[in-house]
C-alpha cells in the first residue's frame, strides 16, 4: 500500500505570495490532517478534513486554509506569506478520526524569503 | 499554553541501556496518547499508543507507561539500539477528537551512543 505523499517536497517563496501544498492520503483513509512543524513550536495542528468537510481547526490565522476532494486528496493554501510561515508542513492520514493511528507524509519544506 | 510537554529537548543513552522519554500533559480530557518517532527529512512514524483505561502497553522493545493521576507518560526503549536515534514526539487526543486534533509535545532528540 502506498504511503502518504506530499508535493512539492521543497518550496521557496517570497513574502506576500501565496502557496498551495498537496497531500494524497493512503488509499481508503478518509481523514487528512495538516500540521506545521517549526523548531521553536514543535508540531502544531492546522486543520483536519473528513469527507470533504473541515472537521477540526487549530489556532492559525485565516491565511491558512484547506480543502479536501472527493478522492480524499487534500490541499492547503497559505496566502500573503510571512517570514514566520517558513516551516515543514506535514500531512497525516487516518481511517476515520485523529484518534486512529495517523500516518504522516514526508512533509513539504516551505522557505519564505 | 502548552498542553503536552516534553521537558527534555535531548537525551543521550549508551547502546544496550534503557532509554526513558518523558511526557507530561495538563488537559485532563486527554484519554488517548501516542508516541511518534521522526528521522530528519522524513515525516513522523507511529510507534506505540495507549488508551487511558490502561497503564501500560508493550510492543517489542517499546513500552509506554501512563500515570493518569500524575498526568504523566513515559516511553521505555530497551535495549536501546543505534537506529533508535531520532526525535520522539508525544501526542495526546481527547475523546471527541477535540478542536485541536492531536496535540504534540515539542519532541525529545534521543541520541544512542555506541
Amino acid at each position: 500500500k502506498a504511503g502518504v505523499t506530499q508535493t512539492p517536497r521543497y518550496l521557496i517563496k517570497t513574502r506576500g505570495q501565496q502557496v498551495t501544498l498537496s497531500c494524497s492520503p493512503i488509499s481508503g483513509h478518509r481523514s487528512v490532517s495538516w500540521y506545521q512543524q517549526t523548531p521553536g513550536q514543535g508540531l502544531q495542528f492546522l486543520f483536519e478534513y473528513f469527507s470533504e468537510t473541515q472537521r477540526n481547526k487549530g489556532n492559525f490565522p485565516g491565511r491558512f486554509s484547506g480543502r479536501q476532494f472527493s478522492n480524499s486528496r487534500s490541499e492547503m493554501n497559505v496566502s500573503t506569506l510571512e517570514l514566520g510561515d517558513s516551516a515543514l508542513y506535514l500531512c497525516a492520514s487516518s481511517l476515520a478520526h485523529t484518534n486512529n493511528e495517523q500516518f504522516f507524509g514526508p512533509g513539504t519544506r516551505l522557505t519564505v524569503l | 499554553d502548552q498542553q503536552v510537554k516534553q521537558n527534555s529537548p535531548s537525551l543521550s543513552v549508551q547502546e544496550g541501556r534503557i532509554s526513558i522519554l518523558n511526557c507530561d500533559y495538563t488537559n485532563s480530557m486527554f484519554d488517548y496518547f501516542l508516541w511518534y518517532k521522526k528521522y530528519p527529512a522524513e515525516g513522523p512514524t507511529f510507534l506505540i499508543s495507549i488508551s487511558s483505561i490502561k497503564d501500560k502497553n508493550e510492543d517489542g522493545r517499546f513500552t509506554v507507561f501512563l500515570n493518569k493521576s500524575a498526568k504523566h507518560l513515559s516511553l521505555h526503549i530497551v535495549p536501546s539500539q543505534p537506529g533508535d536515534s531520532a526525535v520522539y514526539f508525544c501526542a495526546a487526543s481527547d475523546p471527541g477528537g477535540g478542536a485541536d486534533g492531536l496535540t504534540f509535545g515539542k519532541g525529545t532528540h534521543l541520541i544512542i551512543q555506541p
Side-chain angles (χ1 to χ4, degrees), chain A residues 6-21:
Chain A
Q6 290 186 247
T7 56
R9 291 294 310 277
Y10 302 92
L11 205 49
I12 298 175
K13 291 284 189 179
T14 56
R15 278 183 299 173
Q17 287 187 307
Q18 76 162 22
V19 67
T20 299
L21 312 181

Side-chain angles (χ1 to χ4, degrees), chain A residues 9-10 35 37 39-43 45 55-59 88 90 97-107, chain B residues 31-32 34 36 38 41-46 87 89 93-107:
Chain A
R9 291 294 310 277
Y10 302 92
Y35 295 86
Q37 185 186 9
Q41 297 298 320
L43 271 162
F45 173 74
R55 190 159 63 174
N56 290 313
K57 189 177 191 310
N59 188 26
L88 180 68
L90 290 158
H97 195 278
T98 53
N99 263 0
N100 299 130
E101 178 185 338
Q102 287 192 318
F103 294 83
F104 282 81
Chain B
D31 76 339
Y32 192 71
L34 308 92
Y36 284 85
K38 186 180 186 303
E42 294 182 14
T45 54
F46 170 78
V87 177
F89 291 97
S93 177
D94 71 31
D100 298 324
L102 283 180
T103 302
F104 282 84
K106 291 189 179 182

Side-chain angles (χ1 to χ4, degrees), chain B residues 5 10 19 23-24 39 41 47 53 61 71 92 96 109 111:
Chain B
K5 295 178 185 178
S10 67
S19 295
C23 178
D24 297 295
Y39 293 117
L47 204 52
I53 62 173
R61 296 186 298 114
K71 294 193 180 69
H109 185 193
I111 301 160

Side-chain angles (χ1 to χ4, degrees), chain B residues 65-84:
Chain B
F65 295 92
L66 176 62
N67 182 334
K68 280 193 71 177
S69 60
K71 294 193 180 69
H72 176 84
L73 65 155
S74 61
L75 173 68
H76 292 211
I77 306 173
V78 55
S80 301
Q81 298 175 354
D84 296 331

Side-chain angles (χ1 to χ4, degrees), chain A:
Chain A
K1 212 182 225 188
V4 177
T5 57
Q6 290 186 247
T7 56
R9 291 294 310 277
Y10 302 92
L11 205 49
I12 298 175
K13 291 284 189 179
T14 56
R15 278 183 299 173
Q17 287 187 307
Q18 76 162 22
V19 67
T20 299
L21 312 181
S22 180
C23 171
S24 292
I26 290 172
S27 177
H29 284 193
R30 296 170 64 192
S31 169
V32 174
S33 298
W34 289 89
Y35 295 86
Q36 181 195 65
Q37 185 186 9
T38 57
Q41 297 298 320
L43 271 162
Q44 291 186 290
F45 173 74
L46 279 155
F47 26 66
E48 182 209 359
Y49 286 87
F50 181 82
S51 293
E52 302 177 66
T53 301
Q54 186 181 86
R55 190 159 63 174
N56 290 313
K57 189 177 191 310
N59 188 26
F60 276 81
R63 299 186 296 107
F64 292 80
S65 63
R67 58 178 175 167
Q68 186 180 34
F69 302 94
S70 58
N71 62 359
S72 294
R73 191 177 70 84
S74 177
E75 288 180 348
M76 70 162 278
N77 185 76
V78 188
S79 62
T80 320
L81 283 166
E82 300 176 0
L83 294 178
D85 297 333
S86 294
L88 180 68
Y89 290 88
L90 290 158
C91 164
S93 78
S94 59
L95 276 170
H97 195 278
T98 53
N99 263 0
N100 299 130
E101 178 185 338
Q102 287 192 318
F103 294 83
F104 282 81
T108 294
R109 171 72 64 185
L110 172 65
T111 302
V112 181
L113 302 176

